[in-house]
Amino acid sequence: MRDETFSAESAWGNTVTISSTDSYFLESESGKGKSTFSAYIIGLRNDYSGSITLDGQNQKEITLDEWSELRKNKLAFLAQDMRLFPNMTVLENLIIKNKLTDFKTETEFTKMLQKLEIDHKLTQLAGTLSLGQQQRVALVRALLQPFELLLMDEPFSHIDQQNITRALTMITTECSQQKSGYILTTLGADYGIKTNKQIKL
Amino acid sequence: MIGKAIQRTQKTIILILSILGAVIGLSLLLVVTQTYTNLNLVKQGDSGAINSQYLVLKKKISASATLGFGSSTFNKEEYNDIKNQSFVKDIAPFKSGRNFQVFVEVDLNTRQSGSSLGFIESLPDHFIDVQAENWKWSNGDEFIPIIMPTSFLDMYNFGLAETMNTPKISKEMAGMLIVKIRIRGNNKQGIYYGHIVEFSDRINSALVPISYLDYLNDKYGSGTEQDPGKIIIATENTKNPKISKYIVDNGLETNQEQLRGSVIEKLIQPILTFTGILCVIIISLTLIIFVLYGEILIIKSKFDIHVLSLLGYRWKDISKVFNIYFLKIYAVITVVSLTIFFITQSIINGIIKESLIYDDLPFISGKTLVAMNIFLILFIAINILNTRKYIKQIATPK
């Protein structure tokens, strides 16, 4: 990315402040670093120059145990490639996340799956689901924790508009309940949502 | 729950081969260590009543000595010369009976008994490694404690018993026999009874307490006290080359070659040492295989470990799941190895008992347990450290 050129408004090379009470829309072309941006915030990578701080703490100085705590209680993440356990069922994939904080009951997350029309796949192995089905399961999984910021990297690339609408309703409801914000990255589509702020790359 | 994601990625055949290697290595280690320990016990305990750092010296019987030229006993000068050697810490002559006959009779079972013309000797008490209360005699005592040469037991077990098709006698059983001693000399005879309290392969005559021999010499003996035909010396190291040089230069001999300890040292222990080296090689290879197996397991589970870490699981908790899995494997290895060890050891102990007439062999010694623990700690520690290292690497931001 060092060799890429970015516009003057790009977050790369500028200072960007993200507040956990706001919602952000991060739209950019392919290859401009949307997933990289997410990876830096969630702590998967730290190969950058410059500075990233989370709650005032330098991202590069956060220990592994501190990252675990952040990912458990403050930062929820929905990866572009979903990252479900393919050899576990949908139910097991959700339980393994929910077990960390017991944030929701089984009844609650089953209802969430119902809203996204995926509840009938509860006992199916995640690796056998379609990409769209995997994205919906991954979204529910991301919401099974307390968070101050929900980070979603191209979360609707394989979902139809109707389910997108339902998903967005679920997300905004959850964020409202937790008084949290989110960052949603996309290639271009805005899905008809109104976010407070925009980040450009 | 974490375990579910991991278990599905391991190949059973690799696991079985790894376990097999470890079982072979650990079983061999236990058997070699225990057998080595037991043979050392036999070697050291061989002397029975007489410590392995004592040597019995006697003159070589030459034709000229038989014809009356030269002497088969140690005169005062010869005795003092030995006493003054640098390798001699302590010295004493074997005291023998003064011209009386000794007949020894032993009841072997209800139908058999053995008797022979024998001779008895004694040594100062501090050369005798028998508990003080078992090695004393005063006039009027019912039984005389006796130390018999091991060759006596061997002769019976491998000669008489096999010829007569009678059961062999262990050292413990021999201790329960009553030895009838008939003394004839100085126009007197007497009958005494004794118990065998110990065996030694450093002697070829029966030993009795010096108080008993003095009593017999007073009552049945005649003539003057003779020069000793055998001398016992205490030395720090029986393998000191100065000793063998002195022995050769002065026409002496010891009965060291007949010692079971020599046979063990020259034949069996080198085989055991070689097996021990082989064992170390097998264990090293097994350790490498196990480390590789652990690494393969982690590499194959890399995606799962990464996702768990991303979900908020601590890398230490993920490591724990792997380590508990490995600990279960080591438990299986230990149980199987101990089973093989106990079966093998009972066979080996039986062979040692049969061929070296040594009963009191432990099944598992402290040294063997230490060896087993070192093996397990090494394996477990290396695997745990390796597991933590790789999982931490996967969880660390790139």
Side-chain angles (χ1 to χ4, degrees):
Chain A
M1 278 182 47
R2 202 159 289 167
D3 300 328
E4 293 282 336
T5 50
F6 300 97
S7 69
E9 299 155 313
S10 170
W12 303 127
N14 281 312
T15 301
V16 173
T17 303
I18 294 169
S19 164
S20 62
T21 51
D22 290 327
S23 50
Y24 296 81
F25 190 72
L26 196 161
E27 179 262 323
S28 87
E29 295 157 18
S30 183
K32 290 295 184 185
K34 291 185 296 302
S35 297
T36 305
F37 185 88
S38 305
Y40 289 154
I41 295 178
I42 200 67
L44 287 177
R45 290 170 62 175
N46 59 11
D47 54 336
Y48 57 84
S49 59
S51 148
I52 298 175
T53 57
L54 278 82
D55 280 347
Q57 192 177 4
N58 188 337
Q59 195 259 25
K60 288 184 181 177
E61 286 167 14
I62 298 174
T63 64
L64 288 180
D65 283 352
E66 285 168 337
W67 274 120
S68 299
E69 281 307 301
L70 281 170
R71 290 166 189 164
K72 207 164 81 169
N73 295 308
K74 288 192 176 186
L75 289 173
F77 180 51
L78 172 49
Q80 184 183 12
D81 55 0
M82 288 78 78
R83 297 187 202 180
L84 298 172
F85 295 106
N87 294 322
M88 293 169 88
T89 64
V90 168
L91 180 63
E92 287 168 342
N93 267 281
L94 298 180
I95 288 173
I96 201 167
K97 173 61 182 177
N98 194 57
K99 217 166 123 93
L100 278 168
T101 53
D102 285 321
F103 189 61
K104 298 222 186 265
T105 64
E106 197 171 311
T107 312
E108 283 171 326
F109 65 67
T110 308
K111 272 199 184 131
M112 291 163 79
L113 291 171
Q114 230 171 32
K115 283 181 187 162
L116 298 179
E117 295 183 329
I118 194 77
D119 56 307
H120 59 292
K121 298 286 184 181
L122 210 55
T123 55
Q124 192 166 326
L125 291 179
T128 61
L129 300 176
S130 70
L131 290 174
Q133 289 166 335
Q134 286 187 43
Q135 267 186 333
R136 282 175 270 166
V137 172
L139 172 60
V140 171
R141 185 179 71 175
L143 298 177
L144 296 184
Q145 66 166 94
F147 58 85
E148 291 177 15
L149 190 67
L150 170 63
L151 187 52
M152 297 173 283
D153 188 9
E154 297 192 45
F156 307 133
S157 50
H158 303 286
I159 302 179
D160 57 85
Q161 190 54 54
Q162 210 173 12
N163 272 312
I164 290 173
T165 308
R166 291 186 192 124
L168 282 167
T169 307
M170 194 182 295
I171 290 163
T172 48
T173 308
E174 196 63 40
C175 287
S176 169
Q177 279 173 359
Q178 295 206 44
K179 295 182 176 48
S180 312
Y182 63 81
I183 300 174
L184 194 156
T185 78
T186 171
L187 262 174
D190 63 7
Y191 308 113
I193 57 169
K194 286 182 174 50
T195 56
N196 296 8
K197 308 245 170 103
Q198 254 198 337
I199 302 171
K200 284 191 188 307
L201 289 182
Chain B
M1 197 92 225
I2 303 173
K4 258 194 161 177
I6 295 157
Q7 265 179 25
R8 290 164 215 228
T9 59
Q10 55 104 346
K11 286 225 186 271
T12 313
I13 185 71
I14 299 175
L15 176 63
I16 290 170
L17 288 173
S18 306
I19 290 174
L20 194 64
V23 163
I24 292 170
L26 182 56
S27 309
L28 206 56
L29 175 70
L30 296 176
V31 167
V32 166
T33 311
Q34 190 58 45
T35 307
Y36 208 90
T37 307
N38 285 353
L39 285 175
N40 268 335
L41 275 175
V42 172
K43 204 171 76 163
Q44 279 156 23
D46 247 352
S47 56
I50 297 179
N51 189 281
S52 58
Q53 294 310 103
Y54 296 153
L55 277 177
V56 175
L57 303 177
K58 54 189 178 195
K59 287 192 177 179
K60 274 189 183 158
I61 305 294
S62 60
S64 54
T66 311
L67 294 169
F69 301 106
S71 167
S72 60
T73 57
F74 293 93
N75 61 33
K76 204 171 176 180
E77 288 77 26
E78 287 165 334
Y79 183 87
N80 286 331
D81 187 55
I82 296 172
K83 187 176 177 178
N84 294 328
Q85 296 303 311
S86 59
F87 51 77
V88 173
K89 278 169 48 188
D90 196 1
I91 186 168
F94 275 77
K95 197 166 186 179
S96 50
R98 275 205 329 268
N99 301 316
F100 55 77
Q101 285 181 325
V102 178
F103 294 90
V104 174
E105 195 177 304
V106 175
D107 256 327
L108 299 164
N109 55 42
T110 54
R111 281 174 284 154
Q112 310 281 356
S113 70
S115 67
S116 73
L117 182 65
F119 61 99
I120 50 179
E121 291 176 312
S122 71
L123 282 172
D125 288 348
H126 67 274
F127 280 94
I128 306 295
D129 190 16
V130 172
Q131 282 179 340
E133 61 264 28
N134 293 335
W135 191 250
K136 57 183 182 185
W137 181 86
S138 11
N139 196 0
D141 281 355
E142 194 181 354
F143 290 104
I144 302 139
I146 303 169
I147 296 169
M148 290 297 282
T150 319
S151 52
F152 160 79
L153 197 61
D154 287 346
M155 223 167 36
Y156 172 76
N157 280 327
F158 298 111
L160 216 56
E162 287 188 2
T163 313
M164 289 160 55
N165 204 25
T166 51
K168 293 182 182 174
I169 302 174
S170 66
K171 282 181 181 175
E172 277 67 34
M173 283 165 66
M176 294 190 276
L177 299 171
I178 294 174
V179 179
K180 188 174 173 183
I181 306 165
R182 276 187 292 128
I183 309 290
R184 193 188 293 163
N186 201 18
N187 297 317
K188 296 183 193 122
Q189 35 180 15
I191 294 177
Y192 304 89
Y193 295 93
H195 274 310
I196 301 171
V197 297
E198 229 347 316
F199 285 88
S200 172
D201 62 1
R202 277 165 170 76
I203 53 170
N204 48 21
S205 56
L207 286 184
V208 293
I210 207 163
S211 55
Y212 179 63
L213 190 59
D214 286 343
Y215 163 80
L216 291 179
N217 277 332
D218 280 343
K219 190 167 179 180
Y220 303 97
S222 56
T224 54
E225 193 157 329
Q226 302 292 310
D227 285 337
K230 287 189 303 217
I231 293 170
I232 190 165
I233 62 166
T235 179
E236 270 188 20
N237 178 12
T238 55
K239 291 185 188 53
N240 185 342
K242 283 184 184 170
I243 299 175
S244 30
K245 186 175 185 317
Y246 186 89
I247 286 169
V248 165
D249 290 349
N250 291 277
L252 304 178
E253 60 184 18
T254 70
N255 59 343
Q256 190 140 23
E257 290 68 37
Q258 292 151 13
L259 300 178
R260 286 197 184 98
S262 288
V263 171
I264 291 170
E265 215 166 83
K266 283 179 185 157
L267 289 175
I268 303 172
Q269 271 175 343
I271 296 172
L272 271 183
T273 305
F274 172 75
T275 313
I277 293 168
L278 206 65
C279 178
V280 167
I281 294 169
I282 293 174
I283 286 173
S284 305
L285 288 172
T286 308
L287 184 62
I288 294 168
I289 292 170
F290 249 102
V291 164
L292 285 173
Y293 171 73
E295 281 180 23
I296 291 170
L297 197 65
I298 292 167
I299 289 165
K300 280 178 158 274
S301 306
K302 192 175 173 181
F303 174 79
D304 304 304
I305 294 165
H306 162 76
V307 176
L308 286 167
S309 172
L310 194 58
L311 291 179
Y313 282 90
R314 296 186 324 150
W315 69 273
K316 288 171 195 166
D317 294 331
I318 302 168
S319 299
K320 222 182 271 182
V321 172
F322 279 87
N323 289 328
I324 290 171
Y325 172 68
F326 287 131
L327 281 173
K328 285 179 188 169
I329 294 173
Y330 290 129
V332 167
I333 290 168
T334 306
V335 165
V336 173
S337 299
L338 280 172
T339 307
I340 293 172
F341 164 72
F342 280 122
I343 294 169
T344 314
Q345 203 54 41
S346 63
I347 296 169
I348 292 174
N349 278 4
I351 294 169
I352 294 176
K353 190 175 162 179
E354 180 82 21
S355 52
L356 299 176
I357 319 291
Y358 197 99
D359 279 342
D360 201 14
L361 286 170
F363 230 89
I364 186 159
S365 66
K367 276 186 191 149
T368 306
L369 288 171
V370 165
M372 182 179 78
N373 286 329
I374 290 173
F375 173 97
L376 289 173
I377 288 167
L378 192 68
F379 265 63
I380 291 169
I382 290 174
N383 257 298
I384 287 177
L385 290 171
N386 223 33
T387 304
R388 286 168 64 93
K389 181 182 112 182
Y390 281 109
I391 290 177
K392 190 177 180 184
Q393 244 174 41
I394 294 169
T396 301
K398 307 291 173 279

